[in-house]
Amino acid sequence: MKNRFNKTFWEKKYNDNKTGWDIGKISTPLKTYIDQIENKNIHILIPGAGNSYEAEYLFINGFQNVFVVDIAITPLNNFKKRYQEFPKENLIYNDFFELEGLYDLIIEQTFFCALEPNRRSEYTEKTHNLLKDNGKLVGLLFDFRLTKDGPPFGGSDKEYQQLFKKRFLIKTLERCYNSINPRVDRELFFIFTKK
Ligand SMILES: C[S@@+](CC[C@H](N)C(=O)[O-])C[C@H]1O[C@@H](n2cnc3c(N)ncnc32)[C@H](O)[C@@H]1O
């Protein structure tokens, strides 16, 4: 099936200001997770990072190797203007599925749910390939029924377990206790380690 949610689709969302997912700051669960990371030298990737508040927070807090990839140029340009100290070469304008490299940590927030559901196993393969040995995929997944309507597309912990267990050890996959208000009871926090 043709990929409906391509570059043109996302660029138009940004140009029309239809960015309901954008909370304008780092989300509480990701901030809490980031605040307990001790090694600031790790290589971190944020795919489909949009306006990249998490990347900004990481960089301000001393993480030097933070990379963002997005298929749309508008949020990358927004970020360049908003936070000029961030290394431009770490802002990657590309399709995540074309990206190469190796990272210690990949942070997920509303990127997985933005993909056509039939790309989910491609996502697990790609995140797996982009992680170093023992690398981690960490973040948030929506916890509402998967239907044909989206994005965002939902799922359940059972579906996610099934999908990710082939390539990852499921360390944590649980109802998020510190979601932002609009997402309370609608998201799972997870930590998956590369197998
Ligand atoms: C729902 S938005 C989420 C943005 C950000 N994660 C946030 O929480 O604000 C989905 C983002 O993924 C990007 N995207 C969609 N498909 C992509 C792909 N194949 N490769 C890279 N980025 C992609 C879109 O341009 C958009 O910025």
Side-chain angles (χ1 to χ4, degrees):
M1 197 216 295
K2 190 172 158 288
N3 177 20
R4 291 173 293 167
F5 311 123
N6 55 17
K7 188 194 290 261
T8 311
F9 173 90
W10 290 106
E11 208 65 76
K12 184 163 168 31
K13 288 274 184 198
Y14 284 102
N15 290 332
D16 295 348
N17 275 323
K18 294 205 166 134
T19 54
W21 62 80
D22 188 323
I23 62 173
K25 58 180 181 194
I26 185 168
S27 71
T28 326
L30 291 182
K31 179 179 180 304
T32 306
Y33 179 77
I34 289 167
D35 286 347
Q36 56 75 55
I37 304 176
E38 286 173 1
N39 181 357
K40 300 205 168 178
N41 295 318
I42 59 170
H43 284 67
I44 304 177
L45 175 70
I46 312 181
N51 280 316
S52 304
Y53 307 105
E54 285 73 23
E56 178 177 354
Y57 183 80
L58 281 159
F59 197 75
I60 287 174
N61 284 282
F63 292 86
Q64 297 292 319
N65 300 304
V66 182
F67 297 80
V68 154
V69 59
D70 206 289
I71 205 170
I73 193 71
T74 307
L76 295 175
N77 285 339
N78 291 344
F79 183 39
K80 269 187 213 160
K81 275 193 216 126
R82 193 181 78 237
Y83 188 58
Q84 299 187 356
E85 291 78 5
F86 194 87
K88 310 275 175 289
E89 61 279 13
N90 293 17
L91 296 174
I92 308 166
Y93 174 42
N94 199 355
D95 185 331
F96 166 72
F97 294 99
E98 303 292 327
L99 190 66
E100 287 182 6
L102 279 177
Y103 300 88
D104 299 284
L105 172 65
I106 298 180
I107 296 181
E108 167 56 50
Q109 177 174 258
T110 64
F111 172 55
F112 175 89
C113 70
L115 299 169
E116 192 82 71
N118 66 11
R119 301 199 80 183
R120 288 185 170 187
S121 50
E122 214 184 321
Y123 174 97
T124 62
E125 291 300 316
K126 191 66 194 175
T127 47
H128 183 268
N129 291 342
L130 287 170
L131 283 170
K132 296 180 191 170
D133 289 348
N134 300 315
K136 287 180 188 166
L137 171 63
V138 175
L140 300 155
L141 293 167
F142 275 128
D143 186 14
F144 51 78
R145 206 159 64 84
L146 173 62
T147 66
K148 59 178 178 25
D149 298 323
F153 294 100
S156 67
D157 58 350
K158 281 207 181 65
E159 286 161 356
Y160 299 139
Q161 290 255 8
Q162 199 55 37
L163 182 69
F164 285 96
K165 72 178 185 194
K166 193 170 145 216
R167 292 295 191 194
F168 293 90
L169 288 173
I170 314 281
K171 295 278 185 194
T172 304
L173 177 60
E174 60 196 21
R175 174 56 54 78
C176 185
Y177 73 89
N178 55 357
S179 296
I180 59 161
N181 265 340
R183 296 182 189 166
V184 168
D185 291 340
R186 298 179 78 230
E187 61 184 2
L188 302 166
F189 177 75
F190 71 90
I191 301 175
F192 300 158
T193 308
K194 175 177 169 136
K195 271 189 182 169

